[in-house]
């Protein structure tokens, strides 16, 4: 039997981190067991489903690198199949037409509430031999077993037992013939050979109903794993109020997908006290039995810390790949400067996010348009013009433009002038970057290239001389 999992989002909004964690756990479980991971778009709610949301989900999955082996399947393309199954349930006596009007159902509900009973359909049409009057657009209800219990051997929560008495006959087709959520999920899980349903515990109430329908259809039952909720720092359900919740918003804010995946895998799952997991390690160690049954709290600071770890330690090629997008956001033309891989190597200890990294790297890709006032006051002193001119001339003579050679030239000049390195490095930094902060000056210059270095020093010399003449 091939272990088969699925991620089945409803396209009614962006891909939320909670959904992303469900997708990740399902993906990991399939990968770990050499199984199959399916993406299924549950778009039967025509009013709330949008193409924009479908695109956002696909984009989020792609950005996270959660590749699916099958799909995306769209439930709206499977209506014929659902109809067929509904007909089968009717034919075998496991479903029936219900003609109760809205008013009748409301009155029933009000009566039950008044009697302090749980509101549920009383099964009137199940028992009455109502004539089939299709013109009345009846709904179709599943004939839930009246007796016995349903046991969910949940892989995360343990055994959950629900008495069938608690469940009423749920509607599986609306008056217009369209199928409802519990029916479509069951048909799909059955047809797609899903062996493990891993989903949020907000679906736990649906599970016994789905099991009963699967049994009526003679399908083999999948195993279930219901994942606990993700909460914000204040203990309420994670939402926009707590900050970024959409996967793509994390991209926008400069997170690496590897860092977000690592953060998400630890939300409710642990392996000893290890915090940092490569994707390969996640696949090796992940197991549903180690998933915690209680809710987890989303901690932005920890995610930021992980992001920094990943920026520092991931292959620079991978960081560079994602940095590219952020450079474009700032209108920086990466062809105008050093390779992003080399850039990442000098900047990776200096930024917690890719947004920061792009922002502190702009001078490599575009000319310095203005100098920082404070940096000018402090570093473009009367003798700085002279020092910069001398540096310019020494640099102009360098044949092999490398950090080590540049470093030696600066040290040599500092010694010759009997000043400390900073006296040279700081004005140089302002000349090159416009401000007084950058990676080591020799690395910065090496990366920027000789030609641009010389032009920028010359511009600074001119600026200082003009300022003096004012
Ligand atoms: N479409 C459902 C949702 O987005 C998930 C259904 C399921 O996983 O069974 O909440």
């Amino acid at each position: 039997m091939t272990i088969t999992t699925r991620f089945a989002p409803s396209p009614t909004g962006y891909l939320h981190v909670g959904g992303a964690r469900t997708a990740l756990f399902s993906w990991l479980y399939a990968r770990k067991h050499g199984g199959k991971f399916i993406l299924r778009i549950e778009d039967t709610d025509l009013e709330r489903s949008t193409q924009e949301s479908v695109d956002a989900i696909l984009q989020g999955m792609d950005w996270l690198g959660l590749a699916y082996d099958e799909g995306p399947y769209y439930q709206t393309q499977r209506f014929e199949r659902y109809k067929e199954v509904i007909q089968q349930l009717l034919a075998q006596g496991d479903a029936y037409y219900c003609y109760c009007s809205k008013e009748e159902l409301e009155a029933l509900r009000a009566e039950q509430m008044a009697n302090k009973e749980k509101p549920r359909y009383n099964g009137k049409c199940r028992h009455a031999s109502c004539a089939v009057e299709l013109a009345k657009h009846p709904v179709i209800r599943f004939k839930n077993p009246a007796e016995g219990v349903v046991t969910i051997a949940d892989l995360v929560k343990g055994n959950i037992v629900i008495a069938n008495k608690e469940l009423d006959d749920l509607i599986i087709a609306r008056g217009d013939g369209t199928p409802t959520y519990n029916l479509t999920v069951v048909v799909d899980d059955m047809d797609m050979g899903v062996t493990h349903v891993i989903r949020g515990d907000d679906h736990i109430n649906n599970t016994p109903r789905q099991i009963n329908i699967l049994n009526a259809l003679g399908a083999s039952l999948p195993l279930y794993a219901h994942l606990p909720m993700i909460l914000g720092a204040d203990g309420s359900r994670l939402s926009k109020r707590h900050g970024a919740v959409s996967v793509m918003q994390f991209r926008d804010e400069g997170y690496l997908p590897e860092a977000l995946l690592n953060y998400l895998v630890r939300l409710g799952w642990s392996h000893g006290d290890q915090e940092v997991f490569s994707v390969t390690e996640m696949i090796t160690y992940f197991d549903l039995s180690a998933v915690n049954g209680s809710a987890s709290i989303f901690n932005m600071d920890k995610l930021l810390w992980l992001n920094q770890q990943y920026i520092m330690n991931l292959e620079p090629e991978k960081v560079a790949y994602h940095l590219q997008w952020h450079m474009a956001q700032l209108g920086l033309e990466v062809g105008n400067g050093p390779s992003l891989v080399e850039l990442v190597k000098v900047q990776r200890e200096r930024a917690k996010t890719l947004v920061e990294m792009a922002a502190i790297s702009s001078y490599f890709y575009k000319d310095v348009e203005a100098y920082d006032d404070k940096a000018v006051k402090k570093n473009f002193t009367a003798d700085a013009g002279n020092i910069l001119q001398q540096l310019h001339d020494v640099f102009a003579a360098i044949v092999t433009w490398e950090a080590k050679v540049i470093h030696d030239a600066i040290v040599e000049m500092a010694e010759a002038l009997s000043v400390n390195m900073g006296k040279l490095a700081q004005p140089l930094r302002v000349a090159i970057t416009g401000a007084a902060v950058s990676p080591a000056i020799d690395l910065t210059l090496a990366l920027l290239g000789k030609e641009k270095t010389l032009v920028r020093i010359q511009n600074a010399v001119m600026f200082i001389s003009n300022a003096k003449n004012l």
Side-chain angles (χ1 to χ4, degrees):
M1 179 188 64
T2 311
I3 300 262
T4 304
T5 63
R6 77 330 187 253
F7 176 49
S10 304
T12 54
Y14 44 71
L15 179 59
H16 182 278
V17 283
R21 185 192 53 169
T22 302
L24 172 62
F25 282 17
S26 307
W27 181 83
L28 284 174
Y29 199 75
R31 287 288 168 275
K32 183 184 174 75
H33 295 282
K36 196 158 68 176
F37 173 62
I38 296 174
L39 178 63
R40 182 168 84 217
I41 306 289
E42 304 208 322
D43 55 351
T44 52
D45 184 341
L46 301 176
E47 261 162 42
R48 294 178 61 224
S49 301
T50 64
Q51 185 58 41
E52 209 185 334
S53 301
V54 172
D55 294 342
I57 290 165
L58 300 181
Q59 187 189 22
M61 296 290 284
D62 184 51
W63 182 72
L64 287 170
L66 299 179
Y68 29 93
D69 306 300
E70 265 182 33
Y73 291 112
Y74 293 87
Q75 289 192 324
T76 44
Q77 292 173 7
R78 291 178 44 78
F79 272 40
E80 284 311 310
R81 173 64 183 143
Y82 305 136
K83 270 195 190 138
E84 197 176 284
V85 174
I86 291 165
Q87 287 310 317
Q88 181 191 333
L89 287 169
L90 282 168
Q92 67 192 39
D94 283 313
Y96 59 92
Y97 289 101
C98 169
Y99 299 89
C100 295
S101 66
K102 221 165 123 194
E103 294 71 30
E104 248 176 290
L105 293 175
E106 270 164 20
L108 173 68
R109 187 184 160 83
E111 189 189 317
Q112 288 169 334
M113 300 275 273
N115 294 339
K116 301 208 164 23
E117 287 167 21
K118 192 168 147 191
R120 57 203 296 275
Y121 180 59
N122 61 3
K124 179 180 164 212
C125 294
R126 173 179 176 139
H127 307 299
S129 47
C130 303
V132 176
E133 292 175 69
L134 291 178
K136 275 193 169 173
H137 300 298
V139 300
I140 299 172
R141 290 184 186 269
F142 173 67
K143 212 182 256 178
N144 198 75
E147 305 294 325
V149 295
V150 183
T151 303
I152 313 169
D154 194 282
L155 296 172
V156 171
K157 309 245 175 199
N159 271 2
I160 303 170
V161 181
I162 303 101
N164 274 320
K165 277 204 302 276
E166 298 291 316
L167 309 169
D168 58 1
D169 292 346
L170 86 146
I171 297 175
I172 54 174
R174 301 182 188 90
D176 62 4
T178 57
T180 59
Y181 160 74
N182 279 301
L183 188 279
T184 57
V185 166
V186 160
V187 176
D188 288 351
D189 286 342
M190 174 177 78
D191 286 357
M192 295 171 192
V194 172
T195 59
H196 291 72
V197 171
I198 301 170
R199 61 183 171 196
D201 65 5
D202 46 335
H203 284 288
I204 234 163
N205 287 337
N206 292 319
T207 306
R209 301 171 184 282
Q210 293 179 7
I211 289 178
N212 282 336
I213 304 177
L214 283 165
N215 281 333
L217 292 170
S220 53
L221 296 180
L223 293 168
Y224 292 88
H226 288 98
L227 306 177
M229 210 147 275
I230 302 176
L231 309 176
D234 59 357
S236 66
R237 193 179 175 158
L238 188 69
S239 74
K240 272 190 201 150
R241 283 184 301 118
H242 299 105
V245 283
S246 117
V247 165
M248 295 320 288
Q249 201 179 337
F250 285 98
R251 189 266 318 255
D252 297 353
E253 293 185 5
Y255 290 88
L256 283 164
E258 288 82 356
L260 185 57
L261 286 178
N262 193 148
Y263 183 71
L264 291 177
V265 84
R266 285 282 294 104
L267 265 185
W269 174 78
S270 57
H271 176 71
D273 48 18
Q274 187 171 339
E275 286 295 348
V276 181
F277 294 86
S278 68
V279 170
T280 316
E281 286 175 315
M282 287 182 206
I283 294 172
T284 309
Y285 300 136
F286 183 75
D287 206 345
L288 288 168
S289 60
V291 173
N292 195 321
S294 46
S296 336
I297 294 188
F298 199 92
N299 180 338
M300 293 283 178
D301 294 336
K302 187 168 163 196
L303 173 58
L304 189 61
W305 174 82
L306 268 173
N307 201 46
Q308 191 179 16
Q309 299 302 308
Y310 273 86
I311 288 178
M312 287 192 293
N313 301 318
L314 199 63
E315 294 93 312
E317 289 73 14
K318 288 194 179 158
V319 181
Y321 173 78
H322 293 289
L323 180 62
Q324 206 169 339
W325 185 83
H326 292 278
M327 300 300 275
Q329 292 307 106
L330 295 184
L332 297 170
E333 182 48 68
V334 294
N336 288 342
S339 91
L340 288 184
V341 173
E342 294 308 312
L343 178 76
V344 167
K345 287 183 191 162
V346 305
Q347 297 284 41
R348 64 181 157 189
E349 311 254 322
R350 310 176 66 83
K352 290 196 182 103
T353 70
L354 297 182
V355 167
E356 272 175 36
M357 192 181 281
I360 60 170
S361 303
S362 64
Y363 55 83
F364 284 112
Y365 301 90
K366 65 172 197 207
D367 291 338
V368 173
E369 280 152 11
Y371 301 111
D372 175 68
D373 280 346
K374 259 208 210 134
V376 165
K377 277 206 191 87
K378 187 150 180 237
N379 300 294
F380 280 180
T381 52
D383 50 350
N386 188 16
I387 288 178
L388 285 173
Q389 185 59 53
Q390 289 188 54
L391 280 168
H392 175 275
D393 298 343
V394 169
F395 288 161
I398 292 179
V399 181
T400 319
W401 191 253
E402 281 171 2
K404 168 95 177 67
V405 181
I406 298 167
H407 178 83
D408 291 348
I410 300 174
V411 170
E412 205 173 298
M413 187 179 303
E415 278 167 7
L417 298 174
S418 300
V419 294
N420 64 26
M421 275 272 281
K423 260 282 193 243
L424 274 58
Q426 280 311 86
L428 202 44
R429 237 182 210 117
V430 182
I432 298 302
T433 71
V437 220
S438 80
I441 192 69
D442 48 355
L443 294 177
T444 307
L445 297 189
L447 203 55
L448 184 66
K450 180 172 169 178
E451 209 176 309
K452 284 186 184 158
T453 299
L454 294 179
V455 171
R456 290 190 194 179
I457 296 179
Q458 210 61 79
N459 289 345
V461 169
M462 210 128 73
F463 176 88
I464 295 170
S465 139
N466 288 342
K468 240 193 322 201
N469 296 335
L470 281 181

